[in-house]
Amino acid sequence: MRPDGAGKARSKVPLLHLLDVKGAPYAFIAPFFVIFAAFSFYPLIYTAWISLHQVELSTFDVMTWRGLDNYTALIADERFWNALRNTITIGVISTVPQLLMALGLAHLLNYRMRASTFFRVAAITPYATSVGAAALVFTMLFQRDFGMINWGLGLVGVDPIDWENSTGASQTAISSIVIWRWTGYNALLYLAAMQAVPLERYEAAAIDGANRWQQFRTVTVPGIRATIVFTIVLSTIGATQLFGEPLIFGQGPNGVTGGINNQYQTLGLLLYEEGWKNYQMGRAATVAWAMFLLLVLVFVLQRVISRLRNRTH
């Protein structure tokens, strides 16, 4: 006869073991989901709720229900479409050269060279620089009267360019800040992916008579395709949220409005103007959700195009 106490103790062992085996993984990942729910999911839902109301910054606790009126007003607002065009334009002229330059830089760093560690650290240095410091330095470089860029252009006979008040020039200047800050970061991502490509592929391509350029096109690029897609996604998110560079480039009140004629106002600046200059938090929340839905639309289109390409192949 077994004592009742011993039988109960043994019956608890499988339960504790089951909780340890089944429950431990959830306990390990629980802190992430708690932090995500508190600082990401809840603000997202609360912003959506605010976007359905008229809310002023000075009286944030007073809300007037508007339904979808903020969204219809945003669609009818020319400032929104102007900011959307500027965001897309700056995003394209900063992302495309940035990723191409990063790909070429990573390809060079992938070869054995002296002081390779120094060059890799130098490539990541702009990313470690604060956006405020970088934007301030580039703003000084692009000054119309005393900037070094116009001084250099004057040496070759080019008249001074009004970088801030011209649409194309201002967007190009802002894009150059983004390119300078993020090219090295993306290059190191590409470099890590390139070093994971098996050497046997390069050896087989060399035996077939492929030169370095052909090896780059047929071996390197296909081998790091997933990383290229990842950097495109990151760059798209960054371009949609572009805020610090154009704000500091404006050097004052014009930074919030994106210039005198809103020539470089992005969606991020429009959100800031509505919420913290016009004190209309409901409209600001609407702009924020428009940015979120825009990103969702871009990613859905990317997935559709990717599936269609896979089916054709």
Side-chain angles (χ1 to χ4, degrees):
M1 296 282 303
R2 296 179 180 178
D4 293 340
K8 291 181 179 179
R10 293 183 179 181
S11 64
K12 292 181 179 179
V13 173
L15 178 59
L16 295 177
H17 178 72
L18 183 64
L19 290 176
D20 181 43
V21 174
K22 300 293 185 180
Y26 296 99
F28 290 145
I29 64 175
F32 166 78
F33 286 101
V34 171
I35 295 175
F36 175 80
F39 295 99
S40 296
F41 185 73
Y42 171 74
L44 182 68
I45 300 302
Y46 190 61
T47 301
W49 176 250
I50 294 176
S51 69
L52 302 176
H53 295 77
Q54 180 181 353
V55 187
E56 294 187 4
L57 184 62
S58 57
T59 57
F60 199 80
D61 55 337
V62 179
M63 297 186 181
T64 303
W65 176 260
R66 287 179 56 88
L68 298 178
D69 290 349
N70 284 335
Y71 290 91
T72 56
L74 184 67
I75 294 175
D77 191 351
E78 175 57 30
R79 294 181 306 150
F80 168 73
W81 296 107
N82 175 71
L84 179 60
R85 287 193 297 268
N86 293 339
T87 301
I88 295 175
T89 302
I90 296 175
V92 171
I93 63 179
S94 63
T95 298
V96 175
Q98 171 196 152
L99 297 184
L100 291 177
M101 292 170 60
L103 195 59
L105 181 60
H107 184 61
L108 293 176
L109 293 175
N110 195 32
Y111 287 102
R112 294 182 179 179
M113 56 171 48
R114 293 182 178 179
S116 60
T117 303
F118 168 78
F119 290 112
R120 293 174 185 179
V121 173
I124 200 65
T125 301
Y127 171 72
T129 306
S130 68
V131 61
L136 186 60
V137 170
F138 273 81
T139 298
M140 296 173 63
L141 292 175
F142 283 103
Q143 283 185 349
R144 183 187 61 182
D145 298 323
F146 304 103
M148 187 175 293
I149 302 297
N150 278 343
W151 174 78
L153 294 176
L155 295 179
V156 295
V158 179
D159 295 332
I161 299 175
D162 191 354
W163 293 98
E164 183 178 351
N165 296 321
S166 174
T167 300
S170 61
Q171 294 179 357
T172 302
I174 294 170
S175 299
S176 67
I177 307 174
V178 180
I179 293 172
W180 181 81
R181 289 194 68 233
W182 291 97
T183 297
Y185 174 81
N186 290 312
L188 291 186
L189 291 180
Y190 290 152
L191 177 61
M194 289 179 183
Q195 292 180 341
V197 178
L199 294 177
E200 292 79 5
R201 298 183 183 180
Y202 292 100
E203 294 173 355
I207 293 175
D208 292 337
N211 54 34
R212 286 190 174 183
W213 170 245
Q214 292 172 332
Q215 292 178 22
F216 176 75
R217 288 191 302 107
T218 60
V219 178
T220 303
V221 173
I224 64 171
R225 183 177 287 112
T227 305
I228 294 176
V229 174
F230 175 71
T231 56
I232 293 175
V233 171
L234 284 183
S235 300
T236 303
I237 295 174
T240 305
Q241 299 176 344
L242 191 64
F243 174 74
E245 290 85 349
L247 178 66
I248 299 176
F249 184 78
Q251 304 183 63
N254 289 338
V256 178
T257 59
I260 299 175
N261 299 317
N262 308 113
Q263 64 268 18
Y264 57 87
Q265 185 179 50
T266 61
L267 290 174
L269 287 180
L270 179 62
L271 185 155
Y272 184 83
E273 181 185 13
E274 289 286 11
W276 282 267
K277 184 179 179 181
N278 300 335
Y279 304 113
Q280 298 297 324
M281 299 303 295
R283 297 180 186 176
T286 305
V287 177
W289 259 86
M291 296 166 62
F292 174 74
L293 294 176
L294 178 64
L295 287 174
V296 172
L297 177 61
V298 171
F299 296 148
V300 168
L301 291 176
Q302 186 270 330
R303 294 297 300 173
V304 171
I305 294 174
S306 178
R307 290 187 178 182
L308 291 176
R309 291 184 57 185
N310 292 334
R311 288 179 181 180
T312 55
H313 292 293

